[in-house]
Amino acid sequence: MIKSLQNVNTLNSDEMTEFLVSSFFEYIFEDKPINSKLLTSIHKHAIAIKEFGVVSVAMSVISVVNYRKGARYYQTINLLNDSKYLANSSNCLLAQKLNLFASGLIEYYEQNICASINFIKSSLCIKIPTRNQIDNLINQFKNKIEIENPQKLKQVTSPSFISDDIKDDALFALLQVGRTIAVETNIDSLLTIIAQQIQQIGRAHV
């Protein structure tokens, strides 16, 4: 647990990441406040030690916190785009996952329900074996949106081509590539994410 700003400069990347992740989900699901000064200090320390995956995670968290404090939509999207670039360039799957979820949250707050669901589903497509609890929480939020907005989703959301019943890991990963192509608009990000998902397909055959 990080108790003060003085502790920040002694933290390694794993400790910063765990603090950011736990604080973020407590903020979203329990409405537990985040210490903004502490968040900014972690962001700066991660930059100083060149842990750009952690920087990306921090930026995703900051984007949601700032938006809920009144930051404008376009400012938030710009910050999320910078976070996405760092997540992809650092090949950090956790940063990519949280960036997509944060993007989904912002679209949800803006009542862009279809866009929100697409971002959240893309976030769930990034599988990290040690982070199953994160998937459970993200799924919980997705279910909340679907329950709240059945008519909007019925009108604007095409049926998903990825069935929850698919058991073949390689097939599932291949379908994830298709979903990524449908959602991602930045060509550099698209190529990076597809390359990582192709690697998952290869591992599924091992």
Side-chain angles (χ1 to χ4, degrees), residues 42-93:
I42 289 174
H43 178 224
K44 289 180 178 178
H45 179 53
I47 292 173
I49 63 175
K50 298 182 180 180
E51 290 287 351
F52 295 116
V54 181
V55 175
S56 172
V57 173
M59 291 171 71
S60 291
V61 176
I62 290 169
S63 70
V64 175
V65 172
N66 287 353
Y67 178 86
R68 289 179 57 169
K69 289 183 176 180
R72 294 186 177 183
Y73 175 74
Y74 78 88
Q75 294 172 323
T76 304
I77 295 303
N78 285 340
L79 186 58
L80 283 170
N81 283 338
D82 290 342
S83 167
K84 180 172 70 173
Y85 172 80
L86 289 175
N88 291 336
S89 61
S90 63
N91 294 317
C92 179
L93 290 179

Side-chain angles (χ1 to χ4, degrees), residues 114 117-118 121-122 124-125 142 146 153 156-166 172 175-176 178-180 182-183:
C114 183
I117 286 292
N118 283 337
K121 286 182 176 179
S122 294
L124 289 168
C125 284
K142 179 176 76 72
E146 291 171 341
L153 290 171
V156 298
T157 305
S158 300
S160 172
F161 56 83
I162 301 183
S163 168
D164 293 336
D165 295 329
I166 292 176
F172 187 80
L175 291 174
Q176 288 175 1
R179 173 175 282 166
T180 298
V183 173

Side-chain angles (χ1 to χ4, degrees), residues 101-115:
F101 180 54
S103 298
L105 287 172
I106 298 303
E107 296 302 336
Y108 168 73
Y109 298 144
E110 286 282 316
Q111 284 299 293
N112 298 326
I113 300 304
C114 183

Side-chain angles (χ1 to χ4, degrees), residues 91-155:
N91 294 317
C92 179
L93 290 179
L94 179 60
Q96 293 169 17
K97 187 178 191 71
L98 293 180
N99 175 267
L100 287 165
F101 180 54
S103 298
L105 287 172
I106 298 303
E107 296 302 336
Y108 168 73
Y109 298 144
E110 286 282 316
Q111 284 299 293
N112 298 326
I113 300 304
C114 183
S116 174
I117 286 292
N118 283 337
F119 275 122
I120 290 173
K121 286 182 176 179
S122 294
S123 175
L124 289 168
C125 284
I126 299 175
K127 298 298 181 183
I128 306 172
T130 58
R131 297 286 183 175
N132 290 332
Q133 181 59 24
I134 290 180
D135 276 353
N136 293 339
L137 291 170
I138 294 175
N139 259 316
Q140 183 179 328
F141 199 88
K142 179 176 76 72
N143 293 338
K144 164 186 162 71
I145 297 174
E146 291 171 341
I147 290 170
E148 289 178 348
N149 301 276
Q151 291 303 315
K152 287 184 180 180
L153 290 171
K154 184 177 180 180
Q155 291 170 5

